[in-house]
Amino acid sequence: MVPIPPPRAAGAAPGASGRVGPAAAVQFGQYPPARRTIVHVSDTHLLAGNRPLGGRYDTEANLVQTLRAVEALAIRPDAIVFTGDLADLGEPEAYRRLRAAVEPVAERLGAPVIWVAGNHDERPALREGMLDLPPTQQPVTGVWDLGGLRLIALDTTVPGWHHGDVDAEQLAWLGETLQTPAPLGTFLAMHHPPLPSHIPLFDILELRDQGRLAEVIAGTDVRGILAGHLHYSTSGSFAGVPVNVAAATCYTMNLARPASAVNGMDAGQSFHLVHVYDDTSTHSVVPVVDAPTGDFFSDEWVERMARLSPAERLDQFSRKVAPPV
C-alpha cells in the first residue's frame, strides 16, 4: 500500500460546517454554517495484489489520490461514507488494503468511517475484514448518530447477483428504526440508487421493487439518500427524498457517448462533499485532479473579509467597478 503522508496542520478547531481556521464561525451570507459535513466516496473496487482492474485501472493509486484530495480540503468531517463496491471480487486481501489506506486518514481527520456493501462485495469477507464481525451472509447494516444527524446503512446486495434489492427483514427493521425521528433527521446510505438511469446496463442492474422502500420511508424524517453503483455523479428524488449518487474512485463512465456505447474511462474521478443545514443539504462534486488553479482567493483573503462588517464586505467585493467610458 502506498503510504499517505499526513497533511500540514490545519490550524484552529473546526466550526459547525467542518471548516477550520479563524474565519470558520463567520457567517458571510444568509445561511448559517452547515450543521454537519459528510465526505461521500464510492466504488473503490480494490483487487488483491493491486492487480489492474480490467487490465487497465490502478484502483489503489486512484484511491490514494482521492484520499489526498479529501485531506487537502482541510475540514473535519462528521463521517466518511463509502457507498459500496469496496472490493471488486470480495477478496480478503483487498479489504485489508482498503482499511490500511483509509483508516489512518480517518484517524487524522477524527471522522468515523461508514462502510456500505455493494454488489461486487462479498458479505462474509466484508463483515470479517472491514467490520471485525463473524463472516456470515447477514446483511451489512448499521445506524450512526452523527451529533444528532442519523445515518442508516442499508444492504441492497443480493448474494450471487449484481442487481439490488432490500429484503423484507431489512425493510421491517428500517421502518421500526424510523418510528423515532432524529434531532437533525436521517440520511440513508446504500449502494444501488433508487433512480432511473439512461444507460441500459444499469437499468438491468437496478434496485428492484423500489415501491416497497418508498412505502417505508414516506412520511418519515429521511431527508437524503447517498448511493453509488453508477460510476458517475447524478441526482434525483425518490418518494420525495433527494437522492445523490457519487461517482467512483476506480474509474468513471464516459457519458459523452450514446447510451448504448457508454463505457469506463480512467478520468473524471470525484467524491461528494455533503453539507447538511437545518432545512436543506448540498452535495458538491469534488474533482480528483491535479490541475493549474488560480490563487486569488486564500485563507488570508477570507480572514480579511471576516474582519469587515457585512456592508463593508459588499462594498469591497460585490460592487462592480465602473466600466471605462
Side-chain angles (χ1 to χ4, degrees):
M1 190 74 221
V2 178
I4 304 175
R8 291 180 299 174
S17 64
R19 293 180 296 179
V20 297
V26 175
Q27 182 175 328
F28 287 165
Q30 59 190 295
Y31 291 95
R35 299 290 293 272
R36 299 292 177 266
T37 304
I38 297 171
V39 171
H40 176 198
V41 186
S42 201
D43 292 83
T44 51
H45 283 265
L46 261 62
L47 284 162
N50 193 33
R51 304 190 310 278
L53 179 62
R56 61 189 304 183
Y57 305 115
D58 188 337
T59 60
E60 195 165 290
N62 289 344
L63 171 64
V64 167
Q65 188 176 10
T66 299
L67 294 173
R68 285 176 175 153
V70 169
E71 288 202 85
L73 295 174
I75 64 170
R76 297 291 184 265
D78 294 282
I80 305 173
V81 181
F82 285 77
T83 49
D85 281 1
L86 310 176
D88 189 65
L89 297 175
E91 299 163 299
E93 185 195 334
Y95 291 124
R96 288 195 294 270
R97 298 175 78 90
L98 182 58
R99 285 187 76 168
V102 173
E103 288 184 346
V105 174
E107 183 176 356
R108 291 196 290 266
L109 296 179
V113 182
I114 298 173
W115 305 109
V116 178
N119 53 284
H120 278 263
D121 292 305
E122 296 294 336
R123 287 177 178 175
L126 191 161
R127 287 170 59 87
E128 183 175 45
M130 305 302 289
L131 306 174
D132 300 320
L133 294 173
T136 70
Q137 284 288 0
Q138 288 295 310
V140 180
T141 60
V143 181
W144 287 262
D145 178 3
L146 307 178
L149 176 68
R150 179 169 56 193
L151 192 140
I152 299 176
L154 295 177
D155 190 337
T156 59
T157 68
V158 181
W161 301 83
H162 282 297
H163 67 267
D165 202 355
V166 184
D167 59 41
E169 186 175 348
Q170 273 195 81
L171 289 173
W173 167 76
L174 177 63
E176 182 178 350
T177 303
L178 293 175
Q179 287 181 6
T180 303
L184 298 180
T186 297
F187 271 70
L188 303 181
M190 54 203 295
H191 184 65
H192 298 80
L195 291 177
S197 171
H198 71 287
I199 302 174
L201 72 94
F202 287 120
D203 282 343
I204 298 171
L205 304 181
E206 69 181 355
L207 180 70
R208 299 170 65 87
D209 297 324
Q210 295 178 18
R212 298 185 305 157
L213 177 62
E215 291 176 359
V216 172
I217 68 175
T220 68
D221 72 339
V222 175
R223 54 183 300 188
I225 297 174
L226 308 179
H229 187 52
L230 301 182
H231 289 238
Y232 65 88
S233 294
T234 190
S235 61
S237 62
F238 174 74
V241 175
V243 180
N244 285 273
V245 180
T249 69
C250 59
Y251 67 86
T252 66
M253 305 305 288
N254 186 353
L255 299 188
R257 284 181 162 208
S260 59
V262 168
N263 279 274
M265 62 179 181
D266 197 5
Q269 285 88 346
S270 64
F271 60 93
H272 282 189
L273 184 59
V274 183
H275 289 101
V276 182
Y277 300 86
D278 285 331
D279 299 317
T280 190
S281 62
T282 61
H283 301 251
S284 305
V285 179
V286 183
V288 179
V289 62
D290 185 12
T293 305
D295 59 1
F296 179 83
F297 302 106
S298 64
D299 287 341
E300 291 74 23
W301 183 88
V302 172
E303 290 170 15
R304 187 167 70 251
M305 290 295 109
R307 291 193 294 268
L308 301 177
S309 68
E312 290 171 331
R313 280 197 289 271
L314 280 177
D315 186 69
Q316 287 286 316
F317 190 60
S318 178
R319 186 185 299 277
K320 291 184 178 180
V321 178
V325 178

